Amino acid sequence: MKISICSAPIRQGHPQDQFAIVCADIRQAATEGADMIILPNDFPGTFASPARRIESGFSRSAQTALAQLAATAPQCLLVGHTSAIGTDAPACWTCREGQVTMHPDGISTYRGYPLHLTVDAASPAPEDGLQICFWQAPFAKSGSHRPQPQDRTLYVSPLGVHDYGKTIAVYDGGIYWKEAPRGVHALQRGIYRITGKDGSFHAQLAATVPSTADVLRFALQEICARWQIGPVIIGLSGGIDSALNLLLYRSILPPAQLLAVNMPSAYNTDTTKQLAQSLAEALAVPYLTVPIQSFAEETRRQLNEIMALHGTGKTVSQFVFENIQARDRSARVLAALAAMYRGVFTCNGNKAELTIGYGTMYGDISGFLCASGDLWKGEVYELADELNRVYYNGQALPSSIFTLPPSAELSPAQNPEDGHGDPLYYPYHDCLFQAWTEGPAPLDLEATIRAYREQRLADTIQTSVDIYRLFPTEDDFIRDATRWWKMYRGLAVAKRLQSPPVISLSPYPPGARCEAQYESETAIATVPLR
Protein backbone atom coordinates (compact mmCIF):
# COMPACT_ATOMS: atom_id res chain seq x y z
CA MET A 1 0.00 0.00 0.00
CA LYS A 2 1.42 3.36 -1.05
CA ILE A 3 0.89 5.86 1.76
CA SER A 4 1.50 9.59 1.38
CA ILE A 5 1.55 11.81 4.45
CA CYS A 6 0.81 15.50 4.02
CA SER A 7 2.95 17.44 6.44
CA ALA A 8 2.02 21.11 6.65
CA PRO A 9 2.02 23.61 9.52
CA ILE A 10 -1.42 23.87 11.08
CA ARG A 11 -3.18 27.20 10.67
CA GLN A 12 -4.78 27.24 14.08
CA GLY A 13 -8.48 28.10 13.93
CA HIS A 14 -8.55 28.64 10.13
CA PRO A 15 -9.74 25.48 8.32
CA GLN A 16 -9.96 26.93 4.82
CA ASP A 17 -6.50 28.46 5.11
CA GLN A 18 -5.29 25.00 6.10
CA PHE A 19 -7.07 23.42 3.13
CA ALA A 20 -5.42 25.89 0.77
CA ILE A 21 -2.02 24.76 2.06
CA VAL A 22 -2.62 21.00 1.76
CA CYS A 23 -4.71 21.02 -1.42
CA ALA A 24 -1.72 20.99 -3.77
CA ASP A 25 -0.05 18.24 -1.76
CA ILE A 26 -3.17 16.09 -1.95
CA ARG A 27 -3.40 16.47 -5.72
CA GLN A 28 0.30 15.67 -6.12
CA ALA A 29 0.00 12.54 -3.98
CA ALA A 30 -3.02 11.40 -5.97
CA THR A 31 -1.16 11.97 -9.24
CA GLU A 32 1.73 9.87 -7.96
CA GLY A 33 -0.62 6.96 -7.38
CA ALA A 34 -0.99 7.02 -3.60
CA ASP A 35 -3.46 4.48 -2.24
CA MET A 36 -3.87 6.37 1.02
CA ILE A 37 -3.29 10.02 1.87
CA ILE A 38 -2.99 10.98 5.53
CA LEU A 39 -3.97 14.55 6.31
CA PRO A 40 -2.45 16.83 8.98
CA ASN A 41 -3.66 16.18 12.51
CA ASP A 42 -6.98 17.75 13.46
CA PHE A 43 -8.03 18.77 9.98
CA PRO A 44 -10.34 20.59 9.63
CA GLY A 45 -10.41 21.27 13.38
CA THR A 46 -6.96 22.94 13.15
CA PHE A 47 -6.45 22.79 16.92
CA ALA A 48 -8.89 25.64 17.40
CA SER A 49 -9.76 26.65 20.94
CA PRO A 50 -13.11 25.50 22.35
CA ALA A 51 -14.41 29.07 22.12
CA ARG A 52 -13.40 29.28 18.46
CA ARG A 53 -14.96 25.90 17.61
CA ILE A 54 -18.44 26.96 18.75
CA GLU A 55 -18.45 30.04 16.52
CA SER A 56 -20.87 29.60 13.61
CA GLY A 57 -18.33 31.00 11.16
CA PHE A 58 -15.76 28.40 12.20
CA SER A 59 -18.25 25.53 11.84
CA ARG A 60 -19.17 26.68 8.31
CA SER A 61 -15.51 27.04 7.40
CA ALA A 62 -14.72 23.55 8.70
CA GLN A 63 -17.65 21.97 6.84
CA THR A 64 -16.68 23.77 3.63
CA ALA A 65 -13.05 22.70 3.93
CA LEU A 66 -14.07 19.08 4.45
CA ALA A 67 -16.43 19.19 1.44
CA GLN A 68 -13.68 20.69 -0.71
CA LEU A 69 -11.34 18.01 0.50
CA ALA A 70 -13.75 15.24 -0.52
CA ALA A 71 -13.75 16.54 -4.09
CA THR A 72 -9.98 16.89 -4.36
CA ALA A 73 -8.83 13.28 -4.74
CA PRO A 74 -11.90 11.03 -5.10
CA GLN A 75 -9.89 8.02 -6.27
CA CYS A 76 -7.81 7.85 -3.06
CA LEU A 77 -8.56 6.95 0.50
CA LEU A 78 -8.15 10.08 2.62
CA VAL A 79 -7.55 9.55 6.32
CA GLY A 80 -7.57 12.07 9.13
CA HIS A 81 -8.99 13.03 12.47
CA THR A 82 -10.76 16.10 13.74
CA SER A 83 -12.34 17.63 16.82
CA ALA A 84 -14.54 20.02 14.85
CA ILE A 85 -17.28 18.02 13.15
CA GLY A 86 -20.25 16.81 15.17
CA THR A 87 -18.41 15.79 18.32
CA ASP A 88 -16.43 17.30 21.16
CA ALA A 89 -14.11 14.30 21.24
CA PRO A 90 -11.55 13.74 18.47
CA ALA A 91 -12.96 11.44 15.81
CA CYS A 92 -11.10 9.71 13.02
CA TRP A 93 -12.52 9.89 9.52
CA THR A 94 -12.05 8.49 6.05
CA CYS A 95 -13.04 9.90 2.70
CA ARG A 96 -13.64 7.67 -0.32
CA GLU A 97 -15.25 8.60 -3.62
CA GLY A 98 -16.23 11.98 -2.24
CA GLN A 99 -18.01 10.60 0.84
CA VAL A 100 -16.75 11.47 4.32
CA THR A 101 -17.33 8.86 7.05
CA MET A 102 -16.66 9.42 10.72
CA HIS A 103 -15.21 6.53 12.74
CA PRO A 104 -15.76 7.27 16.45
CA ASP A 105 -14.66 3.72 17.26
CA GLY A 106 -11.59 4.08 15.08
CA ILE A 107 -11.99 1.02 12.84
CA SER A 108 -12.49 0.87 9.09
CA THR A 109 -11.45 -1.31 6.19
CA TYR A 110 -9.72 -0.58 2.93
CA ARG A 111 -10.03 -3.04 0.07
CA GLY A 112 -10.94 -5.68 2.61
CA TYR A 113 -7.86 -4.90 4.69
CA PRO A 114 -8.42 -3.93 8.34
CA LEU A 115 -7.53 -0.31 9.02
CA HIS A 116 -7.42 0.79 12.65
CA LEU A 117 -7.56 4.52 13.44
CA THR A 118 -6.85 5.98 16.85
CA VAL A 119 -5.74 9.08 18.72
CA ASP A 120 -4.52 7.05 21.69
CA ALA A 121 -0.80 6.26 21.59
CA ALA A 122 -1.38 3.57 24.20
CA SER A 123 -3.64 1.59 21.87
CA PRO A 124 -2.33 -1.98 21.61
CA ALA A 125 -0.98 -3.22 18.33
CA PRO A 126 -3.68 -4.76 16.12
CA GLU A 127 -3.54 -8.46 15.36
CA ASP A 128 -3.95 -7.79 11.66
CA GLY A 129 -4.07 -4.92 9.22
CA LEU A 130 -2.51 -1.51 9.89
CA GLN A 131 -3.10 1.01 12.63
CA ILE A 132 -2.68 4.75 12.20
CA CYS A 133 -2.27 6.76 15.37
CA PHE A 134 -2.73 10.51 15.22
CA TRP A 135 -0.15 11.21 17.87
CA GLN A 136 -0.27 14.61 19.58
CA ALA A 137 2.52 15.52 21.98
CA PRO A 138 4.38 18.85 21.93
CA PHE A 139 8.14 18.78 21.54
CA ALA A 140 10.09 18.21 24.75
CA LYS A 141 13.85 18.60 25.21
CA SER A 142 13.92 15.25 27.02
CA GLY A 143 12.45 13.39 24.03
CA SER A 144 9.34 12.42 26.01
CA HIS A 145 7.19 13.61 23.10
CA ARG A 146 8.14 10.54 21.08
CA PRO A 147 5.77 7.55 21.25
CA GLN A 148 6.79 3.99 22.05
CA PRO A 149 6.01 2.42 18.67
CA GLN A 150 3.90 -0.75 18.55
CA ASP A 151 3.85 -3.35 15.80
CA ARG A 152 1.70 -2.59 12.75
CA THR A 153 1.27 1.03 13.87
CA LEU A 154 2.18 4.26 12.12
CA TYR A 155 2.30 7.35 14.35
CA VAL A 156 1.69 10.69 12.65
CA SER A 157 2.21 13.87 14.66
CA PRO A 158 1.19 17.43 13.77
CA LEU A 159 3.57 20.08 12.52
CA GLY A 160 3.31 23.64 13.70
CA VAL A 161 3.12 26.14 16.50
CA HIS A 162 -0.02 26.26 18.62
CA ASP A 163 -0.77 28.73 21.35
CA TYR A 164 -2.60 27.54 24.42
CA GLY A 165 -3.11 30.93 25.98
CA LYS A 166 0.05 31.72 27.89
CA THR A 167 2.09 28.84 26.50
CA ILE A 168 3.15 28.31 22.90
CA ALA A 169 3.64 24.63 22.10
CA VAL A 170 5.70 23.33 19.19
CA TYR A 171 4.79 20.11 17.34
CA ASP A 172 7.62 18.73 15.24
CA GLY A 173 5.61 16.70 12.72
CA GLY A 174 7.61 13.51 13.22
CA ILE A 175 6.48 10.14 11.84
CA TYR A 176 7.25 7.00 13.83
CA TRP A 177 6.93 3.27 13.50
CA LYS A 178 8.60 0.20 15.02
CA GLU A 179 11.63 0.37 12.74
CA ALA A 180 11.91 4.17 13.06
CA PRO A 181 11.44 4.86 16.78
CA ARG A 182 13.38 8.16 16.64
CA GLY A 183 11.17 9.49 13.89
CA VAL A 184 11.60 10.80 10.37
CA HIS A 185 11.08 14.17 8.62
CA ALA A 186 10.64 16.24 11.79
CA LEU A 187 10.14 19.98 11.16
CA GLN A 188 9.81 19.40 7.43
CA ARG A 189 6.94 20.35 5.14
CA GLY A 190 5.72 18.44 2.11
CA ILE A 191 4.67 14.93 1.13
CA TYR A 192 6.38 11.91 2.68
CA ARG A 193 5.92 8.53 1.09
CA ILE A 194 5.81 5.26 3.00
CA THR A 195 4.93 1.76 1.87
CA GLY A 196 2.81 -0.39 4.14
CA LYS A 197 3.13 -4.14 3.59
CA ASP A 198 2.53 -7.21 5.74
CA GLY A 199 1.97 -5.11 8.84
CA SER A 200 5.20 -3.11 8.56
CA PHE A 201 6.28 0.18 7.03
CA HIS A 202 9.16 0.99 4.72
CA ALA A 203 10.57 4.34 3.58
CA GLN A 204 13.82 5.74 2.23
CA LEU A 205 13.96 8.43 4.89
CA ALA A 206 16.77 8.92 7.35
CA ALA A 207 15.91 9.54 10.98
CA THR A 208 15.73 13.24 11.81
CA VAL A 209 15.95 14.10 15.48
CA PRO A 210 15.51 17.86 15.85
CA SER A 211 17.61 19.69 18.40
CA THR A 212 16.28 22.33 20.76
CA ALA A 213 17.92 24.93 18.51
CA ASP A 214 16.10 23.51 15.47
CA VAL A 215 12.76 23.64 17.27
CA LEU A 216 13.22 27.19 18.55
CA ARG A 217 14.25 28.44 15.11
CA PHE A 218 11.25 26.73 13.51
CA ALA A 219 8.92 28.16 16.16
CA LEU A 220 10.25 31.69 15.75
CA GLN A 221 9.90 31.48 11.97
CA GLU A 222 6.28 30.37 12.32
CA ILE A 223 5.48 32.99 14.97
CA CYS A 224 7.06 35.88 13.08
CA ALA A 225 5.20 34.91 9.91
CA ARG A 226 1.84 34.22 11.56
CA TRP A 227 1.86 37.29 13.80
CA GLN A 228 3.26 39.46 10.99
CA ILE A 229 6.11 40.58 13.22
CA GLY A 230 8.05 43.61 12.01
CA PRO A 231 11.56 44.53 13.14
CA VAL A 232 12.66 42.79 16.33
CA ILE A 233 14.38 44.96 18.94
CA ILE A 234 16.70 43.14 21.35
CA GLY A 235 18.19 44.66 24.46
CA LEU A 236 21.79 43.44 24.28
CA SER A 237 23.51 43.61 27.65
CA GLY A 238 26.69 41.66 26.93
CA GLY A 239 25.39 38.73 28.96
CA ILE A 240 24.58 35.22 27.76
CA ASP A 241 20.75 35.46 27.81
CA SER A 242 20.47 38.42 25.45
CA ALA A 243 23.30 36.99 23.34
CA LEU A 244 21.35 33.74 22.88
CA ASN A 245 18.24 35.62 21.81
CA LEU A 246 20.15 37.67 19.26
CA LEU A 247 21.78 34.51 17.88
CA LEU A 248 18.34 32.89 17.55
CA TYR A 249 16.63 35.79 15.81
CA ARG A 250 19.61 36.50 13.57
CA SER A 251 19.54 32.86 12.41
CA ILE A 252 16.05 33.39 10.93
CA LEU A 253 15.92 37.12 10.13
CA PRO A 254 18.10 39.40 8.00
CA PRO A 255 20.02 42.20 9.76
CA ALA A 256 17.59 44.81 8.44
CA GLN A 257 14.82 43.20 10.52
CA LEU A 258 16.82 43.45 13.77
CA LEU A 259 18.09 46.14 16.09
CA ALA A 260 20.41 45.50 19.04
CA VAL A 261 20.37 48.08 21.82
CA ASN A 262 22.82 48.43 24.69
CA MET A 263 21.51 50.60 27.54
CA PRO A 264 24.31 51.16 30.03
CA SER A 265 24.08 52.82 33.42
CA ALA A 266 26.99 53.80 35.63
CA TYR A 267 27.19 50.18 36.79
CA ASN A 268 27.73 48.55 33.41
CA THR A 269 31.33 47.57 32.85
CA ASP A 270 33.46 48.20 29.81
CA THR A 271 33.75 44.44 29.45
CA THR A 272 30.04 43.79 28.92
CA LYS A 273 29.59 46.87 26.77
CA GLN A 274 32.37 45.66 24.50
CA LEU A 275 30.94 42.12 24.41
CA ALA A 276 27.56 43.46 23.30
CA GLN A 277 29.05 45.62 20.55
CA SER A 278 31.36 42.85 19.34
CA LEU A 279 28.46 40.40 19.01
CA ALA A 280 26.29 42.86 17.08
CA GLU A 281 29.17 43.63 14.73
CA ALA A 282 29.95 39.95 14.19
CA LEU A 283 26.33 39.37 13.18
CA ALA A 284 26.15 42.58 11.10
CA VAL A 285 23.15 43.70 13.17
CA PRO A 286 22.43 47.45 13.54
CA TYR A 287 23.51 48.57 17.01
CA LEU A 288 22.55 51.47 19.25
CA THR A 289 23.89 52.64 22.59
CA VAL A 290 21.29 54.45 24.71
CA PRO A 291 22.69 55.44 28.13
CA ILE A 292 20.04 55.47 30.89
CA GLN A 293 21.95 56.84 33.88
CA SER A 294 20.71 60.44 33.61
CA PHE A 295 17.08 59.38 33.23
CA ALA A 296 17.24 56.92 36.13
CA GLU A 297 18.89 59.58 38.29
CA GLU A 298 16.19 62.06 37.36
CA THR A 299 13.50 59.62 38.44
CA ARG A 300 15.27 59.05 41.75
CA ARG A 301 15.72 62.79 42.33
CA GLN A 302 12.10 63.57 41.51
CA LEU A 303 10.69 60.84 43.77
CA ASN A 304 12.97 61.80 46.66
CA GLU A 305 11.88 65.44 46.38
CA ILE A 306 8.19 64.51 46.30
CA MET A 307 8.54 62.13 49.25
CA ALA A 308 10.32 64.85 51.25
CA LEU A 309 7.74 67.47 50.30
CA HIS A 310 4.94 65.29 51.66
CA GLY A 311 6.89 64.23 54.72
CA THR A 312 6.58 60.51 54.05
CA GLY A 313 10.03 59.73 55.39
CA LYS A 314 10.67 57.46 52.39
CA THR A 315 13.51 57.65 49.89
CA VAL A 316 14.50 55.67 46.82
CA SER A 317 16.65 52.84 48.16
CA GLN A 318 19.40 51.14 46.17
CA PHE A 319 17.06 48.19 45.56
CA VAL A 320 14.34 50.47 44.19
CA PHE A 321 16.93 52.26 42.06
CA GLU A 322 17.85 48.87 40.54
CA ASN A 323 14.19 48.38 39.61
CA ILE A 324 14.09 51.87 38.10
CA GLN A 325 17.01 51.00 35.83
CA ALA A 326 15.40 47.75 34.66
CA ARG A 327 12.05 49.44 33.93
CA ASP A 328 13.78 52.36 32.20
CA ARG A 329 15.43 49.97 29.77
CA SER A 330 12.27 48.10 28.78
CA ALA A 331 9.24 50.31 29.41
CA ARG A 332 10.92 53.51 28.24
CA VAL A 333 13.70 52.76 25.75
CA LEU A 334 12.85 49.41 24.15
CA ALA A 335 9.09 50.01 24.04
CA ALA A 336 9.63 53.43 22.42
CA LEU A 337 12.06 52.04 19.87
CA ALA A 338 9.65 49.20 19.03
CA ALA A 339 6.93 51.80 18.39
CA MET A 340 9.29 53.95 16.30
CA TYR A 341 10.33 50.97 14.16
CA ARG A 342 6.80 49.51 14.12
CA GLY A 343 8.21 46.33 15.57
CA VAL A 344 8.44 44.44 18.85
CA PHE A 345 11.01 43.92 21.58
CA THR A 346 11.97 40.63 23.17
CA CYS A 347 12.03 39.24 26.67
CA ASN A 348 15.41 37.56 27.26
CA GLY A 349 14.57 35.77 30.52
CA ASN A 350 15.37 32.16 31.37
CA LYS A 351 13.52 29.53 33.38
CA ALA A 352 15.56 29.97 36.57
CA GLU A 353 14.76 33.69 36.65
CA LEU A 354 11.07 33.17 35.88
CA THR A 355 10.79 30.44 38.52
CA ILE A 356 11.78 32.71 41.39
CA GLY A 357 10.82 36.03 39.85
CA TYR A 358 14.41 37.25 39.63
CA GLY A 359 13.45 40.12 37.35
CA THR A 360 11.46 43.33 37.35
CA MET A 361 7.82 43.59 36.38
CA TYR A 362 7.44 46.02 33.47
CA GLY A 363 11.23 45.86 33.20
CA ASP A 364 13.14 42.83 32.00
CA ILE A 365 10.00 40.70 32.47
CA SER A 366 8.29 42.27 29.46
CA GLY A 367 8.31 41.98 25.69
CA PHE A 368 6.30 40.31 22.95
CA LEU A 369 7.74 36.81 23.49
CA CYS A 370 10.16 34.94 25.74
CA ALA A 371 11.88 32.46 23.42
CA SER A 372 14.35 31.35 26.11
CA GLY A 373 11.84 31.15 28.95
CA ASP A 374 11.76 27.33 29.16
CA LEU A 375 15.56 27.00 29.26
CA TRP A 376 17.48 26.70 32.51
CA LYS A 377 20.54 28.92 32.77
CA GLY A 378 22.93 26.06 32.03
CA GLU A 379 20.89 25.23 28.92
CA VAL A 380 21.15 28.86 27.81
CA TYR A 381 24.94 28.55 27.80
CA GLU A 382 24.79 25.21 25.96
CA LEU A 383 22.38 26.45 23.30
CA ALA A 384 24.32 29.68 22.73
CA ASP A 385 27.47 27.63 22.22
CA GLU A 386 25.68 25.29 19.80
CA LEU A 387 24.24 28.14 17.73
CA ASN A 388 27.61 29.86 17.63
CA ARG A 389 29.30 26.70 16.34
CA VAL A 390 26.62 25.46 13.95
CA TYR A 391 25.34 28.69 12.40
CA TYR A 392 28.21 31.14 12.87
CA ASN A 393 31.34 28.95 12.57
CA GLY A 394 32.25 29.71 16.15
CA GLN A 395 33.01 33.32 15.24
CA ALA A 396 30.09 35.30 16.71
CA LEU A 397 30.45 34.83 20.47
CA PRO A 398 33.62 35.94 22.25
CA SER A 399 34.88 33.15 24.50
CA SER A 400 34.89 35.48 27.52
CA ILE A 401 31.08 35.57 27.54
CA PHE A 402 31.12 31.98 28.81
CA THR A 403 33.44 32.72 31.74
CA LEU A 404 32.21 36.13 32.89
CA PRO A 405 29.97 35.86 35.99
CA PRO A 406 26.33 36.37 34.97
CA SER A 407 25.18 39.69 36.39
CA ALA A 408 22.34 42.19 36.12
CA GLU A 409 24.89 44.99 36.65
CA LEU A 410 22.45 47.17 38.59
CA SER A 411 24.72 48.12 41.50
CA PRO A 412 28.41 48.25 42.49
CA ALA A 413 27.91 44.91 44.24
CA GLN A 414 27.15 43.25 40.88
CA ASN A 415 30.38 44.11 39.06
CA PRO A 416 31.35 41.03 37.01
CA GLU A 417 34.87 42.34 36.46
CA ASP A 418 35.37 41.92 40.21
CA GLY A 419 33.90 38.41 40.15
CA HIS A 420 30.48 39.49 41.43
CA GLY A 421 27.12 38.80 39.84
CA ASP A 422 23.72 37.22 40.39
CA PRO A 423 22.95 35.81 43.86
CA LEU A 424 22.53 32.35 42.35
CA TYR A 425 24.94 29.49 41.74
CA TYR A 426 23.28 28.17 38.62
CA PRO A 427 24.84 24.68 38.49
CA TYR A 428 23.08 24.08 41.82
CA HIS A 429 20.04 26.37 41.69
CA ASP A 430 19.02 25.20 38.19
CA CYS A 431 18.73 21.66 39.57
CA LEU A 432 16.95 22.77 42.74
CA PHE A 433 14.39 24.88 40.90
CA GLN A 434 13.84 22.11 38.35
CA ALA A 435 13.03 19.71 41.18
CA TRP A 436 10.56 22.26 42.55
CA THR A 437 8.76 22.89 39.26
CA GLU A 438 8.93 19.83 37.03
CA GLY A 439 7.54 16.33 37.16
CA PRO A 440 4.17 15.01 38.36
CA ALA A 441 5.23 15.31 42.05
CA PRO A 442 7.61 18.26 42.40
CA LEU A 443 9.68 18.71 45.54
CA ASP A 444 8.45 21.18 48.18
CA LEU A 445 10.51 23.12 50.70
CA GLU A 446 9.96 20.70 53.56
CA ALA A 447 11.01 17.72 51.45
CA THR A 448 14.03 19.69 50.20
CA ILE A 449 15.30 20.33 53.71
CA ARG A 450 14.57 16.76 54.78
CA ALA A 451 16.64 15.48 51.85
CA TYR A 452 19.46 17.84 52.82
CA ARG A 453 19.46 16.60 56.42
CA GLU A 454 19.47 13.00 55.22
CA GLN A 455 22.38 13.77 52.86
CA ARG A 456 20.53 12.66 49.74
CA LEU A 457 19.60 16.04 48.23
CA ALA A 458 22.28 15.93 45.53
CA ASP A 459 20.90 12.61 44.25
CA THR A 460 17.31 13.83 44.58
CA ILE A 461 17.82 16.95 42.48
CA GLN A 462 20.47 15.29 40.27
CA THR A 463 23.35 17.71 40.74
CA SER A 464 27.08 17.08 40.96
CA VAL A 465 27.60 20.19 43.09
CA ASP A 466 28.99 19.60 46.59
CA ILE A 467 26.04 21.11 48.45
CA TYR A 468 27.72 20.85 51.86
CA ARG A 469 30.70 22.82 50.59
CA LEU A 470 28.45 25.40 48.95
CA PHE A 471 26.54 25.82 52.25
CA PRO A 472 28.93 25.19 55.16
CA THR A 473 26.13 25.09 57.75
CA GLU A 474 22.57 23.86 57.80
CA ASP A 475 21.37 27.36 58.64
CA ASP A 476 23.10 28.68 55.52
CA PHE A 477 21.33 26.08 53.42
CA ILE A 478 17.91 26.69 54.96
CA ARG A 479 18.18 30.46 54.59
CA ASP A 480 19.02 30.11 50.91
CA ALA A 481 16.30 27.55 50.17
CA THR A 482 13.67 29.45 52.13
CA ARG A 483 14.54 32.72 50.41
CA TRP A 484 14.00 31.30 46.96
CA TRP A 485 10.96 29.23 47.94
CA LYS A 486 9.23 32.32 49.30
CA MET A 487 9.93 34.14 46.05
CA TYR A 488 8.83 31.16 43.94
CA ARG A 489 5.51 30.83 45.77
CA GLY A 490 5.11 34.56 46.42
CA LEU A 491 5.40 37.54 44.08
CA ALA A 492 6.99 35.37 41.39
CA VAL A 493 3.52 33.89 40.77
CA ALA A 494 2.25 37.32 39.72
CA LYS A 495 5.38 37.88 37.65
CA ARG A 496 4.92 34.59 35.77
CA LEU A 497 1.25 35.33 35.16
CA GLN A 498 2.18 38.72 33.70
CA SER A 499 5.27 37.57 31.82
CA PRO A 500 5.34 37.38 28.00
CA PRO A 501 4.29 34.15 26.26
CA VAL A 502 6.86 31.38 26.55
CA ILE A 503 7.78 28.83 23.89
CA SER A 504 7.28 25.48 25.63
CA LEU A 505 10.21 23.08 25.41
CA SER A 506 9.18 20.76 28.25
CA PRO A 507 6.00 19.35 29.77
CA TYR A 508 6.28 21.95 32.56
CA PRO A 509 7.01 25.40 31.11
CA PRO A 510 6.77 28.46 33.39
CA GLY A 511 3.18 29.25 34.20
CA ALA A 512 1.86 25.83 33.16
CA ARG A 513 0.42 25.01 36.58
CA CYS A 514 -2.53 26.68 38.33
CA GLU A 515 -0.15 28.89 40.22
CA ALA A 516 -2.68 31.19 41.87
CA GLN A 517 -3.84 28.19 43.93
CA TYR A 518 -0.52 27.79 45.69
CA GLU A 519 -0.59 27.98 49.47
CA SER A 520 2.96 29.03 50.22
CA GLU A 521 2.89 30.02 53.86
CA THR A 522 1.93 26.58 55.16
CA ALA A 523 5.14 24.93 53.95
CA ILE A 524 7.35 27.88 54.88
CA ALA A 525 6.06 28.16 58.43
CA THR A 526 6.79 24.53 59.26
CA VAL A 527 10.55 24.69 58.63
CA PRO A 528 12.49 25.97 61.66
CA LEU A 529 16.12 26.97 61.62
CA ARG A 530 18.33 24.87 63.85
Side-chain angles (χ1 to χ4, degrees), residues 283-357:
L283 300 179
V285 171
Y287 179 78
L288 294 179
T289 299
V290 184
I292 66 164
Q293 185 68 27
S294 62
F295 298 99
E297 290 284 4
E298 175 60 21
T299 301
R300 175 161 62 179
R301 183 198 62 78
Q302 184 182 44
L303 288 175
N304 282 339
E305 288 181 356
I306 292 173
M307 293 295 103
L309 180 64
H310 290 276
T312 64
K314 294 184 179 297
T315 59
V316 174
S317 66
Q318 178 59 39
F319 176 73
V320 172
F321 190 59
E322 294 175 14
N323 291 161
I324 290 172
Q325 294 171 67
R327 276 189 282 270
D328 213 42
R329 290 187 170 110
S330 293
R332 188 178 69 84
V333 178
L334 293 179
L337 285 171
M340 291 169 64
Y341 281 78
R342 296 187 178 182
V344 295
F345 71 95
T346 65
C347 176
N348 301 330
N350 59 65
K351 196 168 186 176
E353 294 170 346
L354 291 175
T355 294
I356 57 170

Side-chain angles (χ1 to χ4, degrees), residues 152-164:
R152 297 179 173 270
T153 304
L154 180 67
Y155 300 80
V156 181
S157 60
L159 175 66
V161 173
H162 312 303
D163 72 88
Y164 293 93

Side-chain angles (χ1 to χ4, degrees), residues 324-483:
I324 290 172
Q325 294 171 67
R327 276 189 282 270
D328 213 42
R329 290 187 170 110
S330 293
R332 188 178 69 84
V333 178
L334 293 179
L337 285 171
M340 291 169 64
Y341 281 78
R342 296 187 178 182
V344 295
F345 71 95
T346 65
C347 176
N348 301 330
N350 59 65
K351 196 168 186 176
E353 294 170 346
L354 291 175
T355 294
I356 57 170
Y358 186 62
T360 304
M361 284 195 289
Y362 325 119
D364 44 338
I365 304 181
S366 58
F368 92 103
L369 178 70
C370 190
S372 51
D374 203 12
L375 294 171
W376 297 104
K377 188 74 169 188
E379 293 174 327
V380 170
Y381 280 101
E382 292 171 1
L383 188 57
D385 181 57
E386 178 186 342
L387 286 168
N388 186 44
R389 287 184 289 100
V390 174
Y391 294 97
Y392 306 104
N393 298 316
Q395 301 300 309
L397 282 182
S399 59
S400 57
I401 202 170
F402 293 99
T403 58
L404 194 71
S407 174
E409 291 190 294
L410 296 171
S411 74
Q414 297 176 335
N415 187 328
E417 291 180 345
D418 295 336
H420 303 307
D422 296 342
L424 294 161
Y425 183 60
Y426 289 105
Y428 162 72
H429 286 103
D430 271 357
C431 297
L432 178 65
F433 299 161
Q434 185 172 9
W436 284 356
T437 59
E438 298 188 3
L443 209 63
D444 63 19
L445 179 61
E446 189 173 358
T448 300
I449 295 176
R450 187 184 311 116
Y452 171 86
R453 288 171 173 165
E454 295 173 0
Q455 299 190 353
R456 54 179 176 83
L457 181 60
D459 291 337
T460 300
I461 67 174
Q462 299 181 12
T463 180
S464 60
V465 172
D466 186 342
I467 299 173
Y468 300 94
R469 184 175 181 179
L470 184 63
F471 302 104
T473 70
E474 181 176 305
D475 285 358
D476 292 334
F477 171 80
I478 293 177
R479 286 192 185 93
D480 179 83
T482 302
R483 173 190 182 183

Side-chain angles (χ1 to χ4, degrees), residues 68-79:
Q68 291 173 324
L69 175 72
T72 302
Q75 74 274 31
C76 300
L77 173 68
L78 304 180
V79 180

Side-chain angles (χ1 to χ4, degrees), residues 166-376:
K166 193 71 173 178
T167 303
I168 298 175
V170 187
Y171 293 88
D172 69 7
I175 299 173
Y176 307 85
W177 63 94
K178 193 66 175 288
E179 291 75 29
R182 293 171 63 81
V184 298
H185 86 78
L187 301 182
Q188 298 183 45
R189 303 167 175 82
I191 298 174
Y192 294 87
R193 302 160 186 84
I194 293 178
T195 301
K197 184 178 181 181
D198 299 327
S200 62
F201 303 93
H202 308 276
Q204 300 299 316
L205 298 172
T208 53
V209 181
S211 68
T212 299
D214 296 331
V215 170
L216 277 174
R217 293 181 67 253
F218 170 80
L220 289 174
Q221 287 174 320
E222 287 288 303
I223 289 168
C224 289
R226 184 185 302 180
W227 295 355
Q228 299 180 339
I229 296 300
V232 176
I233 318 295
I234 299 177
L236 194 62
S237 67
I240 194 66
D241 297 301
S242 60
L244 169 63
N245 277 269
L246 184 58
L247 291 171
L248 279 170
Y249 283 95
R250 179 62 184 89
S251 73
I252 66 163
L253 294 173
Q257 288 293 304
L258 293 166
L259 177 64
V261 187
N262 185 250
M263 296 160 284
S265 72
Y267 307 120
N268 290 90
T269 61
D270 291 339
T271 298
T272 55
K273 287 185 282 189
Q274 184 57 48
L275 284 171
Q277 184 173 350
S278 297
L279 176 58
E281 290 175 350
L283 300 179
V285 171
Y287 179 78
L288 294 179
T289 299
V290 184
I292 66 164
Q293 185 68 27
S294 62
F295 298 99
E297 290 284 4
E298 175 60 21
T299 301
R300 175 161 62 179
R301 183 198 62 78
Q302 184 182 44
L303 288 175
N304 282 339
E305 288 181 356
I306 292 173
M307 293 295 103
L309 180 64
H310 290 276
T312 64
K314 294 184 179 297
T315 59
V316 174
S317 66
Q318 178 59 39
F319 176 73
V320 172
F321 190 59
E322 294 175 14
N323 291 161
I324 290 172
Q325 294 171 67
R327 276 189 282 270
D328 213 42
R329 290 187 170 110
S330 293
R332 188 178 69 84
V333 178
L334 293 179
L337 285 171
M340 291 169 64
Y341 281 78
R342 296 187 178 182
V344 295
F345 71 95
T346 65
C347 176
N348 301 330
N350 59 65
K351 196 168 186 176
E353 294 170 346
L354 291 175
T355 294
I356 57 170
Y358 186 62
T360 304
M361 284 195 289
Y362 325 119
D364 44 338
I365 304 181
S366 58
F368 92 103
L369 178 70
C370 190
S372 51
D374 203 12
L375 294 171
W376 297 104

